[in-house]
């Protein structure tokens, strides 16, 4: 004979309605569109939900409406932590409106991005956020509201684009190095749209100062491994460089490895500056100077643009730039005389 205590029955929408003194349909309306319910009744329902510990069934909500209350987010590499702040910004807005974010990882390439997006669309997401390189045609005909986060080589014509001002951020990195006195400067770049804008802004500002940057990896990846390989090439072929600007913090980490392998130190021998102000840059161990792309702010604005599209309030595709901020830490210093 079993001696275990049976679990308490899970509260239902009918229990909430009874405790709040309203109809089950009104409880459902509070869960789906609270703005249409009077303050008094809405608060009564919320109080009953809290007292009972009621959790609405997402499946039931989906059946009751044409929406799943889910948003798909496509990124291109879990190893690059820049997207963490983007996700936090997205969720800070979307959760208040009852949406959950579903994440899909994909490597660069038109087919891989399309596969990731198609997988999310198969789950009937209400909208898509693309934080990866979609290619010119990979996302054509998605038939759901779509917002692109960050500069990309291919942005659908009907999608919103919310991005950090990467050209301005690249120029900001150049200004910092020039002000410190550096003139022999290397840059670790990559093939993506964001890397291209950061490279253009960086190179343009150095050219204005009469300095020719040494740029490596324009057609490559932006991973730690790529950063290590590009930094190795720079240090071996141009041993007189005094500073390295990496297209992102992950590549900067690779540069640290290349510098250490040659018996050099940061910033005594080589100054290093990254981009994204990711968790890597903020760690007390690295203390990496980095351009903050303000991904959390990008995420907030992406979420707002997507909700406008879902609710039919958008007037047309928008392009919005978020100003970057330089975070100076312990990896940049004046060149050794």
């Amino acid at each position: 004979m079993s001696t275990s205590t049976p679990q308490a029955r899970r509260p239902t929408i009918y229990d909430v309605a009874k405790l709040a003194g309203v109809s089950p349909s009104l409880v459902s309306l509070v869960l789906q569109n609270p703005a249409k319910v009077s303050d008094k009744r809405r608060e009564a329902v919320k109080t009953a939900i809290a007292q009972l510990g009621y959790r609405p069934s997402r499946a039931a909500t989906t059946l009751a409406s044409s929406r799943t209350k889910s948003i798909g987010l496509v990124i291109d590499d879990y190893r690059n932590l820049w997207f963490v702040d983007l996700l936090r910004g997205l969720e800070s807005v979307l959760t208040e409106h009852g949406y959950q974010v579903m994440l899909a990882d994909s490597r660069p390439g038109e087919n891989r991005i399309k596969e990731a997006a198609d997988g999310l669309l198969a789950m009937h997401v209400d909208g898509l956020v693309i934080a990866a390189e979609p290619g010119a045609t990979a996302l054509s005909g998605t038939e759901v509201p779509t917002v692109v986060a960050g500069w990309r080589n291919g942005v659908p014509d009907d999608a919103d684009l919310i991005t950090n001002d990467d050209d301005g951020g690249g120029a900001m990195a150049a200004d910092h190095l020039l002000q410190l006195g550096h003139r022999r400067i290397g840059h670790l770049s990559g093939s993506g749209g964001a890397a291209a804008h950061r490279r253009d802004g960086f190179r343009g500002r150095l050219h204005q100062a009469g300095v020719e940057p040494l740029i490596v990896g324009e057609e490559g990846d932006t991973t730690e491994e790529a950063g290590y390989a590009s930094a190795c090439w720079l240090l071996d072929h141009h041993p007189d460089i005094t500073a390295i600007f990496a297209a992102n913090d992950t590549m900067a980490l690779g540069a640290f490895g290349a510098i250490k392998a040659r018996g050099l130190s940061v910033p005594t021998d080589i100054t290093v500056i990254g981009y994204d102000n990711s968790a890597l840059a903020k760690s007390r161990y690295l203390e990496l100077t980095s351009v903050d792309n303000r991904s959390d702010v990008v995420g907030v604005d992406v979420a707002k643009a997507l909700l406008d599209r879902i609710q039919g309030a958008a007037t047309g595709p928008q392009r919005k730039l978020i100003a970057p901020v330089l975070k100076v830490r312990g990896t940049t210093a004046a060149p050794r005389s």
Side-chain angles (χ1 to χ4, degrees):
M1 185 173 104
S2 173
T3 59
S4 61
T5 302
Q7 292 185 339
R9 181 176 67 84
R10 184 176 178 179
T12 69
I13 195 171
Y14 298 98
D15 297 320
V16 174
K18 182 177 180 180
L19 182 60
V22 299
S23 67
S25 60
L26 190 134
V27 175
S28 180
L29 185 59
V30 169
L31 295 172
Q32 295 182 44
N33 198 342
K36 291 187 176 182
V37 182
S38 68
D39 292 343
K40 182 178 180 181
R41 288 188 169 186
R42 184 168 63 246
E43 288 306 314
V45 170
K46 288 183 176 181
T47 299
I49 287 173
Q51 289 180 1
L52 293 172
Y54 171 71
R55 292 185 178 181
S57 166
R58 182 166 291 274
T61 301
T62 300
L63 289 172
S65 69
S66 60
R67 294 177 179 170
T68 62
K69 303 294 283 187
S70 60
I71 300 297
L73 169 61
V74 180
I75 64 171
D76 51 18
D77 193 348
Y78 276 117
R79 296 170 296 178
N80 190 340
L81 299 178
W82 76 270
F83 74 89
V84 174
D85 287 338
L86 174 76
L87 180 59
R88 189 176 75 244
L90 281 169
E91 290 184 330
S92 71
V93 175
L94 294 174
T95 54
E96 290 183 2
H97 292 80
Y99 286 87
Q100 66 174 356
V101 178
M102 304 173 68
L103 191 64
D105 180 33
S106 176
R107 296 294 178 265
E110 196 165 305
N111 290 335
R112 296 297 299 273
I113 296 297
K114 182 171 174 52
E115 289 172 5
D118 285 347
L120 291 168
L121 291 171
M123 294 184 235
H124 304 287
V125 294
D126 295 329
L128 278 177
V129 176
I130 305 299
E133 296 290 344
T137 61
L139 296 175
S140 59
T142 57
E143 298 181 355
V144 298
T146 302
V147 179
V148 177
W151 286 114
R152 307 297 165 193
N153 286 328
V155 178
D157 292 336
D158 58 346
D160 290 326
L161 172 64
I162 313 293
T163 180
N164 168 246
D165 179 6
D166 289 302
D167 295 84
M172 191 175 289
D175 284 338
H176 180 57
L177 296 178
L178 290 170
Q179 289 166 8
L180 288 172
H182 293 279
R183 291 298 181 271
R184 293 293 290 168
I185 303 170
H187 177 43
L188 315 181
S189 191
S191 61
H197 281 272
R198 294 169 188 182
R199 179 173 65 245
D200 289 346
F202 184 71
R203 177 165 46 200
R205 187 56 54 87
L206 288 183
H207 281 169
Q208 291 175 7
V211 175
E212 184 64 37
L214 302 166
I215 300 175
V216 185
E218 292 184 60
E219 302 301 321
D221 295 331
T222 54
T223 61
E224 180 182 348
E225 294 80 6
Y228 178 83
S230 291
C232 285
W233 190 93
L234 271 178
L235 294 168
D236 291 343
H237 290 79
H238 301 278
D240 60 336
I241 66 170
T242 61
I244 291 176
F245 168 47
N248 61 36
D249 295 339
T250 305
M251 294 191 83
L253 187 61
F256 269 81
I259 292 166
K260 181 180 179 181
R262 282 152 183 77
L264 303 173
S265 64
V266 178
T268 303
D269 299 303
I270 306 288
T271 270
V272 177
I273 180 171
Y275 206 112
D276 290 338
N277 196 36
S278 66
L280 287 173
K282 299 171 188 174
S283 71
R284 289 186 175 88
Y285 179 74
L286 288 183
E287 287 287 332
L288 175 64
T289 295
S290 183
V291 179
D292 188 351
N293 65 354
R294 301 176 71 196
S295 287
D296 54 339
V297 178
V298 172
V300 167
D301 285 357
V302 164
K304 290 178 179 177
L306 195 59
L307 288 174
D308 282 345
R309 282 178 164 265
I310 290 172
Q311 296 164 2
T315 57
Q318 65 167 310
R319 300 290 185 268
K320 184 173 184 179
L321 293 180
I322 305 299
V325 177
L326 179 66
K327 298 293 184 179
V328 179
R329 298 189 178 94
T331 62
T332 52
R336 187 167 59 179
S337 57

